[in-house]
Amino acid sequence: MAPVLDAKIPAGRLQDKWDNYKNSIKLVNPANKRKHTILVVGTGLAGGSAAATLAELGYNVKAFTILDSARRAHSIAAQGGINAAKNYPNDGDTIWRLFYDTIKGGDYRSREANVYRLAQVSNNIIDQCVAQGVPFAREYGGLLANRSFGGAQVERTFYARGQTGQQLLLGAYAAMSRQVAKGKIQMHTRSEMLDLVVIDGRARGIITRNLVTGEIERHLGDAVLLCTGGYGNVYYLSTNAKNCNVTAAWRAYRRGAYFGNPCFTQIHPTCIPVSGEYQSKLTLMSESLRNDGRVWVPKQPGDSRRPTEIPEEERDYFLERRYPSFGNLVPRDVASRNSKYVCDEGRGVGETQLAVYLDFADSIQRLGRNVIEERYGNLFEMYERITGENPYQVPMRIYPAVHYTMGGLWVDYELQSTIPGLFVLGEANFSDHGGNRLGASALMQGLADGYFVIPYSLGHYIAGSRIEAASTAHDAFEAAESEARGRIQKLLTIKGNRTVTEFHRDLGRIMWDNVGMSRTADGLRIAVDEIAALRDQFWQDVFVPGEPTTYNKNLEFAGRVADFLELGELMARDALIREESCGGHFREEFQSEDGEALRNDKDFTFVSAWQHNPDDIRKPTMHKEPLAFENVELTTRSYK
Amino acid sequence: MAHSMRINLKIWRQAGPDAPGRFETYAVEEANPHMSFLELLDVLNEQLIKEGKEPVEFDHDCREGICGSCGLVVNGVAHGPQKRTAVCQLHMRHYGDGDTIVVEPWRATAFPLIRDLVVDRSAFDRIMAAGGYVSVSTGNAPDANAVLISKVDAELAMDYASCIGCGASVAACPNASASLFTAAKVAQFAHLPQGHPERRRRVRSMVETMEAEGFGDCSNHAECEAVCPKGISISAIATMRREYMKAVLSGSD
């Protein structure tokens, strides 16, 4: 019998819910905290902030990262900034407005109470980070600087050059380092979680593989926190780092945690296009470029002239044409989809014809090269480093790429999954961004979860639960370890004909073509079957070189691709049942006459939460968590 | 499409820390000027796997120059020939058809080799744990604008804070010193009011840990600055020395 999906939203007015929650929870006595061990998997913004904060409170923390240092988690690559409702610029910002913009930006597919809490704690995050010595940008007077970002009419974004994620992560890493020195955090680097151990219905441990020696280890705890990021690499090519993967979350799903809204992915419009088959990842260019760049393609399909030879009247500035009021600044999903359409029409540019121009010629003429250089110099430099072209002279070529996954393991208000004692933080959970995430809000969510939410909800769980004594000799550990070993053994003994990368690339193609920017029921049905077939092929024909007992990158990747091959099918199923267009999920059958997204609030104002079926992975059960909007009115996003 | 080229590679292979190492020679026939250096290694590895050989192991992650995972000595230069560029953002257009490229791991006593081009840089984490932080537990922070910091200081702190911890400075230093890495963190905090009360303890502890980890001394070669993908200035080391002297002379914590 499936547990009932209870989001555990506290009573009271929206503005009072978080306080009411904090007032009502059980606390753990300081002397008792040290009797509890918490396993934190992942050391990015969510995991790093959680590990440090819990250790400061007195818990014993074991932290795990697949990388060689906690400081390398992919949060480090976030460029733009972090939102907070400080209202330092006095331009009318409030907690309510940050909440409202975030929930609207998510196309009304997130929970009001969670998003409101996120906005409430946003200010504490900035205070905390500044106190840690994060060098945010400042004004000459010595106060913090703010800038504007997509989806908002106020300046509420704090930033550290184009390296905000790096600086925030190093802040959390420093806080962790302090606890490592105190012995409160035991750090396990190059250590990959291969399974979750559930004892008497509670998450009590994990099985890990030491990525240097291949040793399989058992770790027991009183609770497990998954802070393992997103699953964008299911598309093979994405802006995610190469090691980003779904394995920890997927193993938890297979142990009974529900997966929420898996089809909600964000495709970012301004990335450097693919240049060839060898392409291993995609590089994002900050969307701030669209403030001064004009997006265009030739009017004529197959026009192979150089961009500077195409006269003005033969260019189609398609975003300005279709969306006169927002122009080049339409939200990410709209910009991405329209770029795809013009390329589908044969009007794409560059060698692969899968790109559109982002042209700064007008801005350079109007403002002068020095102004453009001041604003975007580092981005132009990066573009030239990668493409060998000078964007001051020729237009940039850009194309959309998978960037972020709004979906993730389902959690309640306490960030607890459907497995008691398993908490999920940051991008790994589904919670706060609905169908589409606004810029500068991922960093906010990761740190909110880790610094300011989990210390309360975890304490409440520990204090209010009877967590029985257990040991790593328990049958559940035995079984999970033997399954993990079995999988590794199997991967190494297939000795087929195709490499892990070849399978991954094939999966990526199916996903991008059918579960990408624009989806149809037919395409999704094809994807469901093709992925299942590819999965069967993988388990018969993959070739994984090397040994299980050494550093072996191919073996690591093989396990992750195996899990992506299961996740991809679930994403396609989820996209298939969601018969509406909302946020990053666009179904071609559900659009207005002029091609805009048609949301269906009557039938689809819910979170889909998928439950694994141990008897047949191809027959998961979908549960619905209805979303109630008591404080905001559901409106249609229009950018015309 | 861009013309393809043949690239010859001489790569350091070593099965483990105690195994003997050697250079192996390989060729990638269809290298493309647009591919990155790590993508060249990807192509080589696919080729090796197909030939039934063991692929070359190397650390990598973000491939956009910010995570600090990758680190290769390319033709004798840490991160290769392009200034202020991590090897993941080095592209093959800087090479020509028929070129031979020698690829080695970071070599330093304090960075024991794990396999092929992968080394253990955990000594960096231990230096950070020795004091690379401000002691402020979550919840203790005053309002973010309560303390003014001049734009000049904030920018300087940011220059130093942009260190990605890749280890190139150690690999390039004739003494395998970690001075630039350690100093970048010390100098970041030296320019900020946060953490001021613990600055003496911080610099002493970090410098002593650096020495205990087996890194050499700095003798002003400035090779570190030359290879740093973030262009961190050796002025950080001067700041660290000043901070250290002040801390030692003051005698107290």
Side-chain angles (χ1 to χ4, degrees), chain A residues 49 52-53 56 67-74 76-77 79 86 88 126-128 130-144 160-161 163 166-167 170 173-175 177-181 189-190 212 239-244 275-276 278-284 351-352 382 384-388 451-452 497-499 501-502 543 545-547 550-554 557, chain B residues 1-2 15 32 34-36 39 42-43 45-46 49-50 52-55 57-64 66-69 82-85 89 91 93-94 114-115 118-122 124-126 128-130 132-152 154-159 161-166 181 185 188-189 192 194-195 230:
Chain A
S49 58
T53 304
E56 288 161 7
L67 301 169
D68 73 322
S69 167
R71 66 178 292 154
R72 306 206 197 282
H74 190 53
I76 206 156
Q79 299 171 359
K86 281 282 192 186
Y88 286 150
I126 304 302
D127 297 342
Q128 188 63 35
V130 167
Q132 290 169 347
V134 169
F136 282 120
R138 288 179 182 266
E139 306 290 356
Y140 280 104
L143 296 165
L144 290 161
R161 296 193 190 145
Q163 293 153 256
Q166 181 200 25
Q167 292 310 310
L170 293 181
Y173 164 74
S177 298
R178 177 171 161 239
Q179 297 304 318
V180 168
T189 58
R190 296 196 195 265
V212 175
T239 65
N240 285 188
K242 291 298 285 179
N243 289 288
C244 294
S275 66
Y278 50 80
Q279 189 92 28
S280 61
K281 74 137 337 192
L282 296 168
T283 302
L284 176 79
E351 282 179 7
T352 60
M382 177 166 84
E384 187 169 2
R385 202 179 293 145
I386 293 173
T387 64
Y451 284 135
F452 296 109
N497 296 302
R498 303 193 66 212
T499 65
T501 305
E502 285 171 323
F543 180 80
E547 305 297 322
T550 64
Y551 186 100
N552 185 343
K553 211 78 197 165
N554 268 270
F557 274 72
Chain B
M1 295 299 282
N32 180 304
H34 291 314
M35 62 174 52
S36 71
E39 285 167 346
D42 291 343
V43 171
N45 277 345
E46 288 292 288
I49 295 169
K50 295 277 181 187
K53 296 177 184 155
E54 296 232 329
E57 300 290 2
F58 60 98
D59 266 331
H60 63 91
D61 197 30
C62 79
R63 297 197 173 196
E64 47 188 88
I66 192 75
C67 74
S69 294
Q82 199 175 7
K83 288 279 172 219
R84 299 193 61 169
T85 303
Q89 290 203 313
H91 282 71
R93 69 180 66 90
H94 301 286
I114 292 174
R115 191 176 173 89
V118 179
V119 299
D120 177 355
R121 289 168 291 193
S122 56
F124 272 8
D125 288 325
R126 292 188 288 275
M128 284 299 158
Y133 48 79
V134 174
S135 297
V136 53
S137 296
T138 306
N140 275 326
D143 183 84
N145 261 343
V147 179
L148 300 180
I149 302 173
S150 85
K151 188 180 169 77
V152 176
E155 292 292 321
L156 263 175
M158 181 62 209
D159 286 343
S162 59
C163 169
I164 60 174
C166 62
F181 170 79
K185 190 49 71 177
Q188 175 194 342
F189 289 131
L192 295 173
Q194 288 88 6
K230 294 293 149 186

Side-chain angles (χ1 to χ4, degrees), chain A residues 348-364:
Chain A
V349 301
E351 282 179 7
T352 60
Q353 298 198 324
L354 283 174
V356 300
Y357 289 127
L358 180 63
D359 197 335
F360 292 85
D362 286 355
S363 296
I364 290 171

Side-chain angles (χ1 to χ4, degrees), chain A residues 177-312:
Chain A
S177 298
R178 177 171 161 239
Q179 297 304 318
V180 168
K182 289 184 171 180
K184 291 304 290 182
I185 294 181
Q186 197 184 92
M187 185 67 75
H188 297 258
T189 58
R190 296 196 195 265
S191 186
E192 179 161 25
M193 170 175 157
L194 295 181
D195 209 346
L196 178 75
V197 178
V198 180
I199 298 177
D200 298 333
R202 294 182 191 278
R204 293 301 304 277
I206 60 173
I207 303 293
T208 60
R209 176 168 180 270
N210 178 320
L211 299 179
V212 175
T213 63
E215 215 170 316
I216 305 293
E217 296 171 1
R218 303 176 184 189
H219 299 275
L220 174 75
D222 297 295
V224 178
L225 274 51
L226 291 191
C227 314
T228 47
Y231 49 86
N233 276 344
V234 67
Y235 291 86
Y236 185 64
L237 289 180
S238 81
T239 65
N240 285 188
K242 291 298 285 179
N243 289 288
C244 294
N245 69 83
V246 78
T247 288
W250 194 253
R251 291 289 127 195
Y253 165 75
R254 295 195 54 137
R255 293 280 172 200
Y258 292 5
F259 212 108
N261 294 334
C263 82
F264 283 158
T265 51
Q266 179 162 78
I267 296 183
H268 200 294
T270 52
C271 300
I272 298 177
V274 174
S275 66
E277 175 78 9
Y278 50 80
Q279 189 92 28
S280 61
K281 74 137 337 192
L282 296 168
T283 302
L284 176 79
M285 303 288 289
S286 168
E287 73 182 326
S288 63
L289 288 168
R290 286 192 285 143
N291 282 313
D292 288 303
R294 297 180 72 194
V295 177
W296 66 275
V297 289
K299 283 187 177 163
Q300 217 42 45
D303 189 335
S304 59
R305 286 175 291 176
R306 288 146 56 96
T308 44
E309 289 166 356
I310 300 176
E312 196 63 23

Side-chain angles (χ1 to χ4, degrees), chain A residues 70 83 114 307 324 340 394 406 414 418 433 441 515 574-575 614 627 636:
Chain A
N83 285 331
N114 281 59
K340 175 188 188 306
V394 292
M406 282 75 69
E414 301 182 306
T418 48
H433 306 296
S441 59
V515 200
D574 187 49
L627 292 168
T636 303

Side-chain angles (χ1 to χ4, degrees), chain A residues 66 119 160 216 640:
Chain A
I66 52 177
I216 305 293
K640 288 274 176 190

Side-chain angles (χ1 to χ4, degrees), chain A residues 169 240 496 591 628 638:
Chain A
L169 181 66
N240 285 188
Q591 54 182 313
S638 171

